[in-house]
Amino acid sequence: MNLEVNLGGIKLKNPVTVASGTFGYGREYSEFYDLGEIGAICTKGTSLRPKTGNKAPRVCETSSGMLNAIGLENKGLEYFAEFDLPFLKKFDTKIIVNTFGSTVEDYVEACRFLNKLDIDGVEINLSCPNVKAGCMAFGNTYEGVKEVTEKCRRVIDKPLIVKLTPNVTDITQTAKAVEDAGADGVSLINTLMGMKIDIDKRRPVLANNTGGLSGPAIKPVAVRMVYQVAQKVKIPILGLGGIVSGDDAIEFMLAGASAISIGSGNFIDPYVAPKTVKGIEDYMKKYNISDVNDIIGKVEMN
Amino acid sequence: MPVNVKAKLVKKEALKKDVFKFSVKAKEIVDISKPGHFIEIRVSDQVEPFLRRPISIYNMDKENGILEFIFQVKGKGTDILSQKQVGDEVDIIGPLGNGKFDYSKYQNLAIIGGGIGVFPLYELAKEAKEDGKNVTTYLGFRNKDFVLLEDEFKNVSDELVLATDDGSYGKNGFAINFLKEDIEKGKIDSIYACGPLPMLRAVKKLAEETGIPAQVSLEEKMGCGMGVCLGCAVKTASSPKDSPSYVYVCKTGPVFDSTFVEF
Ligand SMILES: Cc1cc2nc3c(=O)[nH]c(=O)nc-3n(C[C@H](O)[C@H](O)[C@H](O)COP(=O)(O)OP(=O)(O)OC[C@H]3O[C@@H](n4cnc5c(N)ncnc54)[C@H](O)[C@@H]3O)c2cc1C
Ligand SMILES: Cc1cc2nc3c(=O)[nH]c(=O)nc-3n(C[C@H](O)[C@H](O)[C@H](O)COP(=O)(O)O)c2cc1C
Ligand code: FES
């Protein structure tokens, strides 16, 4: 049975990766299983310089999901290179570093820095709804996405993936911009902007008022968007949004994702990623499929 | 080194309406847990409710690998949990947090708790007493109907001071006032607290005024419970307002020196 897939030049031993911001730099979950069991790790979003986060509460539960407004808190790329990368290198899995900035120059500088590191790919996050002004502006339009992606592309020889926000009118437009700018892959979706109100206090639960919605609640939206983008671009898609099982993963792959990522699902079941690999294998056995690539994009419309 | 276990519920007890004590078989967790640690419980194997619930370790029977926790039914998660029956499995990750009510340097301990914040203090009092410490426990409840675990705490304390806000049971007033009196008498050299925020703030203030060090166990909304999501942030007291530095209740805490964090 072949589980290997190619995500824009990153050869993954299986299509299961873990999503940025939901797996840290791997340390905590490595106490539960060998990280070599999964295809790749997308690191916590790490910017060139350290960045502080929002006030608490930063997270809250919602129906079949959660809201977060962490505020992209991180210790910066230098710290990552010195302390987190050596740890991640111990495992037989691919390392995709997720990064972001608040200006185009920040993105380019971060990519320049990352290009020198011993990593397998870079994922630029053009979709951070929690940060005021900031990158939201780039992620919303064809022109914005194209500009940042092109400039990052110029300084990166490694596989470059662009992560898109679903908080747009037409995600196929921004996905097309990623392809036109020469990136190797596109990942979607990031969180959907949401809000929860405490009716006793008559105030939003999150200190930031709004936050990004993730978890099974957003899965149908994500699957639909992956399908639409797959019709529009040829570069591989990393699909995510609410995946908690092999069956969920298969849905994304049928819709057109070459690989998938598990985010908030890690919080409820630390073993969800290896279980998802197993679930994909079970599906392949059930339908006598020998190569996982034969599932990608194979949904048939009614 | 937290582990994920499906722990068998061996005993279930309703302490009062909507407050349950669960005893589960979880040797792997009990073997490595200390006072101040907590666990995260997945109450349903579906995705609704989504997140795990943080609950403190109340008591451990190390010999038999039994872990006990007590919870109050608040919303849908604890409601579902309360419906489990003896023989059912409870999906637990633990131990979590720093497990660091650290009393090793002190001899005359004041343990103070209020409301449902008293639960994590039992194992602490028990172990401290076993280690030969002088334990005075102060428990505060709203009124007589809310009083919990009086005998249990009596058994693990050299002295138990129980107070109700309205005087309907035990002493009349806030537990902290009685702690204050004992500090003035020179009976106390360190404080360990868990309970509602106003009480913890009063403890912090008392510690500042008297110079007696205090450790407090904090709560915050959690995503992962193990330091991954950075959800449960609390600002360090020394960091400036315009560039705050954060630590995490689930990982750096939940027990903090009262001077270390802002709450
Ligand atoms: C470290 C720690 C230890 C705790 N120990 C105990 C204990 O021993 N016994 C006990 O009865 N309670 C304890 N709590 C509080 C307990 O976690 C909440 O009462 C419980 O999560 C409520 O869940 P629910 O589904 O019933 O309520 P809901 O209101 O439906 O919960 C909605 C969401 O808010 C979260 N939430 C609600 N209240 C709190 C809170 N106070 N702290 C953190 N998250 C909260 C829930 O986890 C859930 O994600 C502890 C909390 C923390 C952080
Ligand atoms: C707590 C938390 C932090 C996140 N941080 C980041 C981040 O730093 N960078 C990023 O690109 N996406 C971040 N995300 C978005 C996830 O990577 C993912 O796109 C989203 O949660 C949807 O997937 P899910 O439903 O499986 O969680 C974060 C999500 C959560 C829940
Ligand atoms: S709950 Fe995720 S870091 Fe504390």
Side-chain angles (χ1 to χ4, degrees), chain B residues 53-56 70-72 74-78 116 119 219-221:
Chain B
R53 269 36 182 180
I55 298 287
S56 308
I70 302 180
F71 64 95
Q72 180 168 44
K74 286 270 184 175
K76 64 184 161 194
T78 45
I116 66 162
F119 306 140
E219 291 186 1
E220 190 46 79
K221 288 243 161 43

mmCIF file with all atom_site columns, all heavy atoms in Angstrom, chain B residues 53-56 70-72 74-78 116 119 219-221, ligand 1:
data_model
loop_
_atom_site.group_PDB
_atom_site.id
_atom_site.type_symbol
_atom_site.label_atom_id
_atom_site.label_alt_id
_atom_site.label_comp_id
_atom_site.label_asym_id
_atom_site.label_entity_id
_atom_site.label_seq_id
_atom_site.pdbx_PDB_ins_code
_atom_site.Cartn_x
_atom_site.Cartn_y
_atom_site.Cartn_z
_atom_site.occupancy
_atom_site.B_iso_or_equiv
_atom_site.pdbx_formal_charge
_atom_site.auth_seq_id
_atom_site.auth_comp_id
_atom_site.auth_asym_id
_atom_site.auth_atom_id
_atom_site.pdbx_PDB_model_num
ATOM   1   N N   . ARG B 1 53  ? -12.109 18.898 29.837 1.00 0.00 ? 53  ARG B N   1
ATOM   2   C CA  . ARG B 1 53  ? -12.366 19.720 31.020 1.00 0.00 ? 53  ARG B CA  1
ATOM   3   C C   . ARG B 1 53  ? -11.239 19.565 32.022 1.00 0.00 ? 53  ARG B C   1
ATOM   4   O O   . ARG B 1 53  ? -10.909 18.428 32.406 1.00 0.00 ? 53  ARG B O   1
ATOM   5   C CB  . ARG B 1 53  ? -13.676 19.279 31.692 1.00 0.00 ? 53  ARG B CB  1
ATOM   6   C CG  . ARG B 1 53  ? -14.974 19.964 31.255 1.00 0.00 ? 53  ARG B CG  1
ATOM   7   C CD  . ARG B 1 53  ? -15.075 20.302 29.854 1.00 0.00 ? 53  ARG B CD  1
ATOM   8   N NE  . ARG B 1 53  ? -16.326 21.007 29.499 1.00 0.00 ? 53  ARG B NE  1
ATOM   9   C CZ  . ARG B 1 53  ? -16.623 21.402 28.274 1.00 0.00 ? 53  ARG B CZ  1
ATOM   10  N NH1 . ARG B 1 53  ? -15.789 21.171 27.285 1.00 0.00 ? 53  ARG B NH1 1
ATOM   11  N NH2 . ARG B 1 53  ? -17.752 22.024 28.017 1.00 0.00 ? 53  ARG B NH2 1
ATOM   12  N N   . PRO B 1 54  ? -10.647 20.683 32.465 1.00 0.00 ? 54  PRO B N   1
ATOM   13  C CA  . PRO B 1 54  ? -9.606  20.598 33.495 1.00 0.00 ? 54  PRO B CA  1
ATOM   14  C C   . PRO B 1 54  ? -10.209 20.390 34.884 1.00 0.00 ? 54  PRO B C   1
ATOM   15  O O   . PRO B 1 54  ? -11.134 21.103 35.276 1.00 0.00 ? 54  PRO B O   1
ATOM   16  C CB  . PRO B 1 54  ? -8.901  21.961 33.418 1.00 0.00 ? 54  PRO B CB  1
ATOM   17  C CG  . PRO B 1 54  ? -9.885  22.889 32.785 1.00 0.00 ? 54  PRO B CG  1
ATOM   18  C CD  . PRO B 1 54  ? -10.854 22.067 31.982 1.00 0.00 ? 54  PRO B CD  1
ATOM   19  N N   . ILE B 1 55  ? -9.719  19.396 35.582 1.00 0.00 ? 55  ILE B N   1
ATOM   20  C CA  . ILE B 1 55  ? -10.194 19.084 36.939 1.00 0.00 ? 55  ILE B CA  1
ATOM   21  C C   . ILE B 1 55  ? -8.977  18.743 37.800 1.00 0.00 ? 55  ILE B C   1
ATOM   22  O O   . ILE B 1 55  ? -8.050  18.078 37.342 1.00 0.00 ? 55  ILE B O   1
ATOM   23  C CB  . ILE B 1 55  ? -11.168 17.867 36.909 1.00 0.00 ? 55  ILE B CB  1
ATOM   24  C CG1 . ILE B 1 55  ? -12.419 18.167 36.076 1.00 0.00 ? 55  ILE B CG1 1
ATOM   25  C CG2 . ILE B 1 55  ? -11.546 17.424 38.324 1.00 0.00 ? 55  ILE B CG2 1
ATOM   26  C CD1 . ILE B 1 55  ? -13.434 19.114 36.684 1.00 0.00 ? 55  ILE B CD1 1
ATOM   27  N N   . SER B 1 56  ? -8.999  19.184 39.041 1.00 0.00 ? 56  SER B N   1
ATOM   28  C CA  . SER B 1 56  ? -7.861  18.951 39.932 1.00 0.00 ? 56  SER B CA  1
ATOM   29  C C   . SER B 1 56  ? -7.865  17.532 40.475 1.00 0.00 ? 56  SER B C   1
ATOM   30  O O   . SER B 1 56  ? -8.910  16.901 40.592 1.00 0.00 ? 56  SER B O   1
ATOM   31  C CB  . SER B 1 56  ? -7.930  19.902 41.120 1.00 0.00 ? 56  SER B CB  1
ATOM   32  O OG  . SER B 1 56  ? -8.084  21.211 40.666 1.00 0.00 ? 56  SER B OG  1
ATOM   33  N N   . ILE B 1 70  ? -13.061 15.577 42.422 1.00 0.00 ? 70  ILE B N   1
ATOM   34  C CA  . ILE B 1 70  ? -14.404 16.037 42.787 1.00 0.00 ? 70  ILE B CA  1
ATOM   35  C C   . ILE B 1 70  ? -14.761 17.183 41.860 1.00 0.00 ? 70  ILE B C   1
ATOM   36  O O   . ILE B 1 70  ? -13.928 18.043 41.577 1.00 0.00 ? 70  ILE B O   1
ATOM   37  C CB  . ILE B 1 70  ? -14.440 16.517 44.254 1.00 0.00 ? 70  ILE B CB  1
ATOM   38  C CG1 . ILE B 1 70  ? -13.988 15.385 45.187 1.00 0.00 ? 70  ILE B CG1 1
ATOM   39  C CG2 . ILE B 1 70  ? -15.838 17.009 44.630 1.00 0.00 ? 70  ILE B CG2 1
ATOM   40  C CD1 . ILE B 1 70  ? -13.979 15.755 46.653 1.00 0.00 ? 70  ILE B CD1 1
ATOM   41  N N   . PHE B 1 71  ? -15.972 17.157 41.363 1.00 0.00 ? 71  PHE B N   1
ATOM   42  C CA  . PHE B 1 71  ? -16.357 18.253 40.481 1.00 0.00 ? 71  PHE B CA  1
ATOM   43  C C   . PHE B 1 71  ? -17.786 18.674 40.730 1.00 0.00 ? 71  PHE B C   1
ATOM   44  O O   . PHE B 1 71  ? -18.620 17.905 41.202 1.00 0.00 ? 71  PHE B O   1
ATOM   45  C CB  . PHE B 1 71  ? -16.168 17.861 39.007 1.00 0.00 ? 71  PHE B CB  1
ATOM   46  C CG  . PHE B 1 71  ? -17.051 16.719 38.566 1.00 0.00 ? 71  PHE B CG  1
ATOM   47  C CD1 . PHE B 1 71  ? -18.272 16.961 37.942 1.00 0.00 ? 71  PHE B CD1 1
ATOM   48  C CD2 . PHE B 1 71  ? -16.657 15.404 38.783 1.00 0.00 ? 71  PHE B CD2 1
ATOM   49  C CE1 . PHE B 1 71  ? -19.093 15.908 37.542 1.00 0.00 ? 71  PHE B CE1 1
ATOM   50  C CE2 . PHE B 1 71  ? -17.469 14.343 38.389 1.00 0.00 ? 71  PHE B CE2 1
ATOM   51  C CZ  . PHE B 1 71  ? -18.685 14.597 37.771 1.00 0.00 ? 71  PHE B CZ  1
ATOM   52  N N   . GLN B 1 72  ? -18.001 19.927 40.413 1.00 0.00 ? 72  GLN B N   1
ATOM   53  C CA  . GLN B 1 72  ? -19.344 20.471 40.511 1.00 0.00 ? 72  GLN B CA  1
ATOM   54  C C   . GLN B 1 72  ? -19.926 20.551 39.102 1.00 0.00 ? 72  GLN B C   1
ATOM   55  O O   . GLN B 1 72  ? -19.227 20.940 38.165 1.00 0.00 ? 72  GLN B O   1
ATOM   56  C CB  . GLN B 1 72  ? -19.280 21.861 41.116 1.00 0.00 ? 72  GLN B CB  1
ATOM   57  C CG  . GLN B 1 72  ? -20.642 22.496 41.257 1.00 0.00 ? 72  GLN B CG  1
ATOM   58  C CD  . GLN B 1 72  ? -20.592 23.737 42.120 1.00 0.00 ? 72  GLN B CD  1
ATOM   59  O OE1 . GLN B 1 72  ? -19.703 24.563 41.974 1.00 0.00 ? 72  GLN B OE1 1
ATOM   60  N NE2 . GLN B 1 72  ? -21.546 23.866 43.014 1.00 0.00 ? 72  GLN B NE2 1
ATOM   61  N N   . LYS B 1 74  ? -21.467 22.286 36.314 1.00 0.00 ? 74  LYS B N   1
ATOM   62  C CA  . LYS B 1 74  ? -21.577 23.714 35.966 1.00 0.00 ? 74  LYS B CA  1
ATOM   63  C C   . LYS B 1 74  ? -22.319 23.886 34.657 1.00 0.00 ? 74  LYS B C   1
ATOM   64  O O   . LYS B 1 74  ? -23.238 24.665 34.539 1.00 0.00 ? 74  LYS B O   1
ATOM   65  C CB  . LYS B 1 74  ? -20.181 24.312 35.809 1.00 0.00 ? 74  LYS B CB  1
ATOM   66  C CG  . LYS B 1 74  ? -19.457 24.537 37.107 1.00 0.00 ? 74  LYS B CG  1
ATOM   67  C CD  . LYS B 1 74  ? -19.759 25.923 37.617 1.00 0.00 ? 74  LYS B CD  1
ATOM   68  C CE  . LYS B 1 74  ? -18.959 26.192 38.882 1.00 0.00 ? 74  LYS B CE  1
ATOM   69  N NZ  . LYS B 1 74  ? -19.100 27.537 39.362 1.00 0.00 ? 74  LYS B NZ  1
ATOM   70  N N   . GLY B 1 75  ? -21.846 23.188 33.643 1.00 0.00 ? 75  GLY B N   1
ATOM   71  C CA  . GLY B 1 75  ? -22.432 23.309 32.305 1.00 0.00 ? 75  GLY B CA  1
ATOM   72  C C   . GLY B 1 75  ? -22.555 21.934 31.694 1.00 0.00 ? 75  GLY B C   1
ATOM   73  O O   . GLY B 1 75  ? -22.628 20.925 32.399 1.00 0.00 ? 75  GLY B O   1
ATOM   74  N N   . LYS B 1 76  ? -22.519 21.883 30.360 1.00 0.00 ? 76  LYS B N   1
ATOM   75  C CA  . LYS B 1 76  ? -22.841 20.601 29.727 1.00 0.00 ? 76  LYS B CA  1
ATOM   76  C C   . LYS B 1 76  ? -21.751 19.541 29.891 1.00 0.00 ? 76  LYS B C   1
ATOM   77  O O   . LYS B 1 76  ? -22.055 18.354 29.971 1.00 0.00 ? 76  LYS B O   1
ATOM   78  C CB  . LYS B 1 76  ? -23.220 20.796 28.263 1.00 0.00 ? 76  LYS B CB  1
ATOM   79  C CG  . LYS B 1 76  ? -22.143 21.325 27.383 1.00 0.00 ? 76  LYS B CG  1
ATOM   80  C CD  . LYS B 1 76  ? -22.696 21.550 25.985 1.00 0.00 ? 76  LYS B CD  1
ATOM   81  C CE  . LYS B 1 76  ? -21.754 22.505 25.255 1.00 0.00 ? 76  LYS B CE  1
ATOM   82  N NZ  . LYS B 1 76  ? -22.274 23.070 24.059 1.00 0.00 ? 76  LYS B NZ  1
ATOM   83  N N   . GLY B 1 77  ? -20.495 19.974 29.969 1.00 0.00 ? 77  GLY B N   1
ATOM   84  C CA  . GLY B 1 77  ? -19.409 18.995 30.091 1.00 0.00 ? 77  GLY B CA  1
ATOM   85  C C   . GLY B 1 77  ? -19.476 18.235 31.402 1.00 0.00 ? 77  GLY B C   1
ATOM   86  O O   . GLY B 1 77  ? -19.463 17.001 31.436 1.00 0.00 ? 77  GLY B O   1
ATOM   87  N N   . THR B 1 78  ? -19.546 18.985 32.484 1.00 0.00 ? 78  THR B N   1
ATOM   88  C CA  . THR B 1 78  ? -19.598 18.338 33.793 1.00 0.00 ? 78  THR B CA  1
ATOM   89  C C   . THR B 1 78  ? -20.929 17.606 33.982 1.00 0.00 ? 78  THR B C   1
ATOM   90  O O   . THR B 1 78  ? -20.998 16.613 34.710 1.00 0.00 ? 78  THR B O   1
ATOM   91  C CB  . THR B 1 78  ? -19.387 19.371 34.914 1.00 0.00 ? 78  THR B CB  1
ATOM   92  O OG1 . THR B 1 78  ? -20.180 20.523 34.636 1.00 0.00 ? 78  THR B OG1 1
ATOM   93  C CG2 . THR B 1 78  ? -17.921 19.788 34.993 1.00 0.00 ? 78  THR B CG2 1
ATOM   94  N N   . ILE B 1 116 ? -15.471 25.596 45.477 1.00 0.00 ? 116 ILE B N   1
ATOM   95  C CA  . ILE B 1 116 ? -14.982 24.385 44.822 1.00 0.00 ? 116 ILE B CA  1
ATOM   96  C C   . ILE B 1 116 ? -13.462 24.416 44.642 1.00 0.00 ? 116 ILE B C   1
ATOM   97  O O   . ILE B 1 116 ? -12.871 23.477 44.132 1.00 0.00 ? 116 ILE B O   1
ATOM   98  C CB  . ILE B 1 116 ? -15.696 24.090 43.485 1.00 0.00 ? 116 ILE B CB  1
ATOM   99  C CG1 . ILE B 1 116 ? -15.372 25.171 42.447 1.00 0.00 ? 116 ILE B CG1 1
ATOM   100 C CG2 . ILE B 1 116 ? -17.185 23.932 43.669 1.00 0.00 ? 116 ILE B CG2 1
ATOM   101 C CD1 . ILE B 1 116 ? -15.687 24.693 41.021 1.00 0.00 ? 116 ILE B CD1 1
ATOM   102 N N   . PHE B 1 119 ? -10.752 21.531 46.444 1.00 0.00 ? 119 PHE B N   1
ATOM   103 C CA  . PHE B 1 119 ? -10.420 20.146 46.070 1.00 0.00 ? 119 PHE B CA  1
ATOM   104 C C   . PHE B 1 119 ? -8.923  19.853 45.934 1.00 0.00 ? 119 PHE B C   1
ATOM   105 O O   . PHE B 1 119 ? -8.451  18.849 46.443 1.00 0.00 ? 119 PHE B O   1
ATOM   106 C CB  . PHE B 1 119 ? -11.181 19.730 44.801 1.00 0.00 ? 119 PHE B CB  1
ATOM   107 C CG  . PHE B 1 119 ? -12.672 19.948 44.919 1.00 0.00 ? 119 PHE B CG  1
ATOM   108 C CD1 . PHE B 1 119 ? -13.396 20.437 43.853 1.00 0.00 ? 119 PHE B CD1 1
ATOM   109 C CD2 . PHE B 1 119 ? -13.329 19.679 46.113 1.00 0.00 ? 119 PHE B CD2 1
ATOM   110 C CE1 . PHE B 1 119 ? -14.769 20.646 43.966 1.00 0.00 ? 119 PHE B CE1 1
ATOM   111 C CE2 . PHE B 1 119 ? -14.698 19.885 46.231 1.00 0.00 ? 119 PHE B CE2 1
ATOM   112 C CZ  . PHE B 1 119 ? -15.417 20.381 45.155 1.00 0.00 ? 119 PHE B CZ  1
ATOM   113 N N   . GLU B 1 219 ? -6.950  29.436 37.706 1.00 0.00 ? 219 GLU B N   1
ATOM   114 C CA  . GLU B 1 219 ? -7.736  28.814 36.646 1.00 0.00 ? 219 GLU B CA  1
ATOM   115 C C   . GLU B 1 219 ? -7.738  29.729 35.430 1.00 0.00 ? 219 GLU B C   1
ATOM   116 O O   . GLU B 1 219 ? -7.678  30.945 35.577 1.00 0.00 ? 219 GLU B O   1
ATOM   117 C CB  . GLU B 1 219 ? -9.185  28.599 37.108 1.00 0.00 ? 219 GLU B CB  1
ATOM   118 C CG  . GLU B 1 219 ? -9.324  27.539 38.171 1.00 0.00 ? 219 GLU B CG  1
ATOM   119 C CD  . GLU B 1 219 ? -10.787 27.230 38.503 1.00 0.00 ? 219 GLU B CD  1
ATOM   120 O OE1 . GLU B 1 219 ? -11.692 27.819 37.891 1.00 0.00 ? 219 GLU B OE1 1
ATOM   121 O OE2 . GLU B 1 219 ? -10.996 26.392 39.402 1.00 0.00 ? 219 GLU B OE2 1
ATOM   122 N N   . GLU B 1 220 ? -7.804  29.153 34.275 1.00 0.00 ? 220 GLU B N   1
ATOM   123 C CA  . GLU B 1 220 ? -7.997  29.930 33.057 1.00 0.00 ? 220 GLU B CA  1
ATOM   124 C C   . GLU B 1 220 ? -8.610  29.004 32.022 1.00 0.00 ? 220 GLU B C   1
ATOM   125 O O   . GLU B 1 220 ? -8.460  27.781 32.114 1.00 0.00 ? 220 GLU B O   1
ATOM   126 C CB  . GLU B 1 220 ? -6.659  30.508 32.567 1.00 0.00 ? 220 GLU B CB  1
ATOM   127 C CG  . GLU B 1 220 ? -6.761  31.531 31.450 1.00 0.00 ? 220 GLU B CG  1
ATOM   128 C CD  . GLU B 1 220 ? -7.841  32.587 31.674 1.00 0.00 ? 220 GLU B CD  1
ATOM   129 O OE1 . GLU B 1 220 ? -7.597  33.538 32.441 1.00 0.00 ? 220 GLU B OE1 1
ATOM   130 O OE2 . GLU B 1 220 ? -8.930  32.434 31.078 1.00 0.00 ? 220 GLU B OE2 1
ATOM   131 N N   . LYS B 1 221 ? -9.312  29.575 31.045 1.00 0.00 ? 221 LYS B N   1
ATOM   132 C CA  . LYS B 1 221 ? -9.881  28.761 29.972 1.00 0.00 ? 221 LYS B CA  1
ATOM   133 C C   . LYS B 1 221 ? -8.753  28.087 29.195 1.00 0.00 ? 221 LYS B C   1
ATOM   134 O O   . LYS B 1 221 ? -7.741  28.706 28.894 1.00 0.00 ? 221 LYS B O   1
ATOM   135 C CB  . LYS B 1 221 ? -10.697 29.646 29.026 1.00 0.00 ? 221 LYS B CB  1
ATOM   136 C CG  . LYS B 1 221 ? -12.000 30.118 29.638 1.00 0.00 ? 221 LYS B CG  1
ATOM   137 C CD  . LYS B 1 221 ? -13.168 29.576 28.838 1.00 0.00 ? 221 LYS B CD  1
ATOM   138 C CE  . LYS B 1 221 ? -14.493 29.594 29.568 1.00 0.00 ? 221 LYS B CE  1
ATOM   139 N NZ  . LYS B 1 221 ? -14.818 30.777 30.342 1.00 0.00 ? 221 LYS B NZ  1
HETATM 140 C C1  . LIG C 2 .   ? -6.540  23.879 36.668 1.00 0.00 ? 1   LIG C C1  1
HETATM 141 C C2  . LIG C 2 .   ? -8.021  23.770 36.916 1.00 0.00 ? 1   LIG C C2  1
HETATM 142 C C3  . LIG C 2 .   ? -8.489  22.899 37.893 1.00 0.00 ? 1   LIG C C3  1
HETATM 143 C C4  . LIG C 2 .   ? -9.866  22.774 38.138 1.00 0.00 ? 1   LIG C C4  1
HETATM 144 N N1  . LIG C 2 .   ? -10.277 21.887 39.093 1.00 0.00 ? 1   LIG C N1  1
HETATM 145 C C5  . LIG C 2 .   ? -11.601 21.712 39.315 1.00 0.00 ? 1   LIG C C5  1
HETATM 146 C C6  . LIG C 2 .   ? -12.061 20.736 40.257 1.00 0.00 ? 1   LIG C C6  1
HETATM 147 O O1  . LIG C 2 .   ? -11.284 20.029 40.887 1.00 0.00 ? 1   LIG C O1  1
HETATM 148 N N2  . LIG C 2 .   ? -13.399 20.614 40.429 1.00 0.00 ? 1   LIG C N2  1
HETATM 149 C C7  . LIG C 2 .   ? -14.303 21.369 39.727 1.00 0.00 ? 1   LIG C C7  1
HETATM 150 O O2  . LIG C 2 .   ? -15.506 21.202 39.924 1.00 0.00 ? 1   LIG C O2  1
HETATM 151 N N3  . LIG C 2 .   ? -13.889 22.286 38.840 1.00 0.00 ? 1   LIG C N3  1
HETATM 152 C C8  . LIG C 2 .   ? -12.567 22.476 38.594 1.00 0.00 ? 1   LIG C C8  1
HETATM 153 N N4  . LIG C 2 .   ? -12.151 23.404 37.649 1.00 0.00 ? 1   LIG C N4  1
HETATM 154 C C9  . LIG C 2 .   ? -13.168 24.141 36.910 1.00 0.00 ? 1   LIG C C9  1
HETATM 155 C C10 . LIG C 2 .   ? -13.725 23.260 35.788 1.00 0.00 ? 1   LIG C C10 1
HETATM 156 O O3  . LIG C 2 .   ? -12.742 23.067 34.799 1.00 0.00 ? 1   LIG C O3  1
HETATM 157 C C11 . LIG C 2 .   ? -14.962 23.883 35.133 1.00 0.00 ? 1   LIG C C11 1
HETATM 158 O O4  . LIG C 2 .   ? -15.975 24.002 36.088 1.00 0.00 ? 1   LIG C O4  1
HETATM 159 C C12 . LIG C 2 .   ? -15.466 23.026 33.978 1.00 0.00 ? 1   LIG C C12 1
HETATM 160 O O5  . LIG C 2 .   ? -14.541 23.047 32.913 1.00 0.00 ? 1   LIG C O5  1
HETATM 161 C C13 . LIG C 2 .   ? -16.820 23.486 33.485 1.00 0.00 ? 1   LIG C C13 1
HETATM 162 O O6  . LIG C 2 .   ? -17.181 22.720 32.367 1.00 0.00 ? 1   LIG C O6  1
HETATM 163 P P1  . LIG C 2 .   ? -18.704 22.610 31.916 1.00 0.00 ? 1   LIG C P1  1
HETATM 164 O O7  . LIG C 2 .   ? -18.756 21.910 30.635 1.00 0.00 ? 1   LIG C O7  1
HETATM 165 O O8  . LIG C 2 .   ? -19.512 22.047 33.005 1.00 0.00 ? 1   LIG C O8  1
HETATM 166 O O9  . LIG C 2 .   ? -19.145 24.133 31.794 1.00 0.00 ? 1   LIG C O9  1
HETATM 167 P P2  . LIG C 2 .   ? -19.352 25.006 30.500 1.00 0.00 ? 1   LIG C P2  1
HETATM 168 O O10 . LIG C 2 .   ? -19.711 26.340 30.964 1.00 0.00 ? 1   LIG C O10 1
HETATM 169 O O11 . LIG C 2 .   ? -20.251 24.347 29.515 1.00 0.00 ? 1   LIG C O11 1
HETATM 170 O O12 . LIG C 2 .   ? -17.892 25.044 29.892 1.00 0.00 ? 1   LIG C O12 1
HETATM 171 C C14 . LIG C 2 .   ? -17.624 25.749 28.711 1.00 0.00 ? 1   LIG C C14 1
HETATM 172 C C15 . LIG C 2 .   ? -16.120 25.854 28.504 1.00 0.00 ? 1   LIG C C15 1
HETATM 173 O O13 . LIG C 2 .   ? -15.547 26.737 29.483 1.00 0.00 ? 1   LIG C O13 1
HETATM 174 C C16 . LIG C 2 .   ? -14.558 26.075 30.228 1.00 0.00 ? 1   LIG C C16 1
HETATM 175 N N5  . LIG C 2 .   ? -14.629 26.510 31.631 1.00 0.00 ? 1   LIG C N5  1
HETATM 176 C C17 . LIG C 2 .   ? -15.759 26.774 32.344 1.00 0.00 ? 1   LIG C C17 1
HETATM 177 N N6  . LIG C 2 .   ? -15.438 27.132 33.607 1.00 0.00 ? 1   LIG C N6  1
HETATM 178 C C18 . LIG C 2 .   ? -14.090 27.093 33.699 1.00 0.00 ? 1   LIG C C18 1
HETATM 179 C C19 . LIG C 2 .   ? -13.164 27.349 34.749 1.00 0.00 ? 1   LIG C C19 1
HETATM 180 N N7  . LIG C 2 .   ? -13.546 27.725 35.961 1.00 0.00 ? 1   LIG C N7  1
HETATM 181 N N8  . LIG C 2 .   ? -11.850 27.198 34.481 1.00 0.00 ? 1   LIG C N8  1
HETATM 182 C C20 . LIG C 2 .   ? -11.432 26.819 33.262 1.00 0.00 ? 1   LIG C C20 1
HETATM 183 N N9  . LIG C 2 .   ? -12.274 26.559 32.241 1.00 0.00 ? 1   LIG C N9  1
HETATM 184 C C21 . LIG C 2 .   ? -13.576 26.697 32.458 1.00 0.00 ? 1   LIG C C21 1
HETATM 185 C C22 . LIG C 2 .   ? -14.875 24.611 30.071 1.00 0.00 ? 1   LIG C C22 1
HETATM 186 O O14 . LIG C 2 .   ? -13.745 23.794 30.293 1.00 0.00 ? 1   LIG C O14 1
HETATM 187 C C23 . LIG C 2 .   ? -15.375 24.547 28.656 1.00 0.00 ? 1   LIG C C23 1
HETATM 188 O O15 . LIG C 2 .   ? -14.309 24.543 27.742 1.00 0.00 ? 1   LIG C O15 1
HETATM 189 C C24 . LIG C 2 .   ? -10.786 23.558 37.402 1.00 0.00 ? 1   LIG C C24 1
HETATM 190 C C25 . LIG C 2 .   ? -10.312 24.434 36.422 1.00 0.00 ? 1   LIG C C25 1
HETATM 191 C C26 . LIG C 2 .   ? -8.952  24.552 36.171 1.00 0.00 ? 1   LIG C C26 1
HETATM 192 C C27 . LIG C 2 .   ? -8.467  25.494 35.119 1.00 0.00 ? 1   LIG C C27 1
#
